[in-house]
Amino acid sequence: MATERKEKLIRVLQIMQTTDEKTPLNATQIVKRLDTEYELEGVERRSIYRDIALLQDCGYDIVQTEDKRSGWYMNTHAFADWQIKIMMDAVQQARCVSLNEATKIRENLLNLTSKRGRSRLTHMMQQHPGNVNVNENIGIYIETMLEAIYQHRKIEFQYTEINDSMKKVLRREGKKYLLNLYAIYWSDNNYYLIGAHDNHDNLVNYRLDRIVNLTMSDEKAIDAKEKVGVNPEMIIQNYIEKSVDHFQGELIRVEVEYEPGQAANAILYDFAGGNIRVRKLENGHCVASFQKMDSVTLVGWFMQHAGMYKVVGPEQLRDEVAIKLKQAVNLYDD
């Protein structure tokens, strides 16, 4: 009998977790669901009041409706629906997560909302997934890395590269890499491992989706301060900006000329940010000025939008973009 009472309390909690302010349940409805969903027969309505009160005393944010006859609802869930939506979209577009794993994560996220919330999130049109046919062990690898960092242990793995036949093969004939892992960094829909090898003091990075056979080593990891110096957090962040995100160089003021329009304005604003300054020219064009890091990424952006924006300054950036454009034209002429 005591076991049945404990099970009933747990089942009442599970039922309440499917409710929200717009879909409360009263005692009669809860009793019916206990019978149909969990085969708990003969439950008295009055016992539901005691169960709800006990759950409230235990800290669960269960609220009674104003008219009381409609019953109760779970006022606070682990995440709001909009937060779950953001996480679902991020997972769905992550190229380092397989479609199978993305589906599992999506289902777990939906379990964190109410029944109505689940319906709201699943009835909308779904985006085309960005997930690809990647290693199904990615989740296990992340767990292993988190534990390795926690236990201050090294990790061991093999790394892959793409050969001339566009096939993924093991790098350096399957050499095993032993790494002091210091950070796992997310950039451009991929995870990067940041760490250092025993025989080098410089930081290195590896893309997680190119790693295979990752395990936690029995060897203790060398402390980051010993490998890269004092204030390793700042050093690692600087390394990420220069090596992973390719934001090399100093901050420079860029000037571009363009023909204003809805698309041109929006694309440039998204790239330059809110501190952009614009002046109009007599020919109807505009010149915009803003600050950006002098980098390969910056040149690549102007290559991508070469037909829309012309670099006015600085002269060095203008010349670099012009050289790249000429190289591209020569490539097609050949």
Side-chain angles (χ1 to χ4, degrees):
M1 192 68 178
T3 302
E4 291 181 1
R5 285 199 298 270
K6 292 177 181 177
E7 180 188 356
K8 180 168 74 71
L9 180 63
I10 293 173
R11 298 305 187 189
V12 170
L13 173 60
Q14 291 174 332
I15 291 171
M16 292 308 304
Q17 287 172 332
T18 68
T19 64
D20 57 26
E21 185 177 4
K22 295 185 178 180
T23 57
L25 292 173
N26 57 35
T28 301
Q29 293 168 321
I30 294 174
V31 168
K32 183 177 180 180
R33 287 187 58 175
L34 288 172
D35 183 12
T36 57
E37 296 178 20
Y38 302 109
E39 297 182 353
L40 293 177
E41 302 175 352
V43 175
E44 295 183 1
R45 288 178 63 258
R46 287 179 297 178
S47 69
I48 301 300
Y49 290 84
R50 294 193 295 268
D51 292 337
I52 296 295
L54 179 56
L55 291 172
Q56 290 171 329
D57 290 341
C58 290
Y60 289 97
D61 190 12
I62 298 174
V63 176
Q64 190 170 34
T65 59
E66 289 186 6
D67 63 4
K68 295 186 179 180
R69 290 177 299 178
S70 298
W72 308 267
Y73 61 91
M74 187 70 74
N75 188 44
T76 305
H77 292 271
F79 295 98
D81 286 352
W82 69 266
Q83 294 171 325
I84 293 176
K85 170 63 176 168
I86 289 175
M87 289 186 285
M88 286 172 56
D89 289 343
V91 170
Q92 189 170 332
Q93 296 305 315
R95 292 196 300 268
C96 66
V97 180
S98 70
L99 184 58
N100 183 47
E101 286 295 332
T103 302
K104 292 178 181 178
I105 296 172
R106 180 173 178 271
E107 186 63 26
N108 289 338
L109 289 171
L110 289 172
N111 287 336
L112 297 176
T113 185
S114 65
K115 188 174 182 180
R116 179 175 178 273
R118 170 185 279 270
S119 180
R120 292 172 66 198
L121 291 167
T122 55
H123 275 69
M124 67 177 63
M125 184 180 296
Q126 297 299 315
Q127 304 173 39
H128 182 74
N131 313 112
V132 295
N133 187 25
V134 300
N135 193 331
E136 292 283 352
N137 292 323
I138 290 293
I140 297 174
Y141 288 173
I142 294 175
E143 282 286 348
T144 300
M145 291 188 293
L146 291 173
E147 190 64 19
I149 293 175
Y150 177 74
Q151 293 192 28
H152 305 287
R153 303 258 290 277
K154 299 173 185 177
I155 59 170
E156 191 174 44
F157 56 88
Q158 292 172 297
Y159 205 59
T160 62
E161 59 186 2
I162 306 301
N163 65 12
D164 295 343
S165 300
M166 292 296 163
K167 302 292 184 183
K168 186 179 287 188
V169 296
L170 291 176
R171 176 185 286 185
R172 300 180 66 177
E173 299 180 346
K175 172 189 173 180
K176 290 189 175 181
Y177 294 78
L178 192 64
L179 184 71
N180 299 285
L181 179 64
Y182 300 133
I184 310 169
Y185 178 69
W186 174 263
S187 177
D188 192 25
N189 282 335
N190 283 300
Y191 271 117
Y192 290 83
L193 285 61
I194 313 296
H197 295 295
D198 288 356
N199 55 343
H200 295 286
D201 290 335
N202 295 332
L203 289 168
V204 293
N205 69 83
Y206 296 93
R207 254 177 61 168
L208 180 56
D209 62 320
R210 295 179 181 171
I211 283 175
V212 294
N213 301 322
L214 184 146
T215 58
M216 183 169 61
S217 170
D218 292 332
E219 293 186 31
K220 283 290 185 180
I222 301 174
D223 189 85
K225 290 181 180 178
E226 184 178 340
K227 289 296 294 182
V228 301
V230 295
N231 198 355
E233 292 85 359
M234 184 179 70
I235 295 173
I236 291 172
Q237 182 59 41
N238 289 337
Y239 170 81
I240 288 172
E241 292 176 354
K242 292 181 179 180
S243 299
V244 179
D245 291 335
H246 304 295
F247 294 158
Q248 300 171 356
E250 298 180 354
L251 198 65
I252 60 173
R253 177 160 291 280
V254 180
E255 285 192 334
V256 298
E257 182 179 341
Y258 62 100
E259 184 177 353
Q262 188 175 24
N265 297 345
I267 293 171
L268 186 59
Y269 182 86
D270 288 343
F271 178 68
N275 292 323
I276 188 171
R277 294 177 179 271
V278 178
R279 70 176 190 274
K280 292 187 176 181
L281 302 177
E282 292 182 358
N283 62 3
H285 286 195
C286 289
V287 171
S289 61
F290 52 91
Q291 287 188 322
K292 274 288 181 179
M293 295 296 287
D294 188 11
S295 66
V296 175
T297 305
L298 180 61
V299 175
W301 190 87
F302 283 111
M303 289 286 292
Q304 179 183 355
H305 300 285
M308 191 174 290
Y309 308 101
K310 180 178 76 174
V311 178
V312 178
E315 185 177 351
Q316 182 179 349
L317 176 62
R318 175 191 170 94
D319 292 344
E320 190 172 355
V321 173
I323 290 171
K324 293 293 184 183
L325 289 172
K326 289 177 182 177
Q327 289 174 345
V329 171
N330 291 336
L331 180 64
Y332 278 92
D333 286 343
D334 291 343

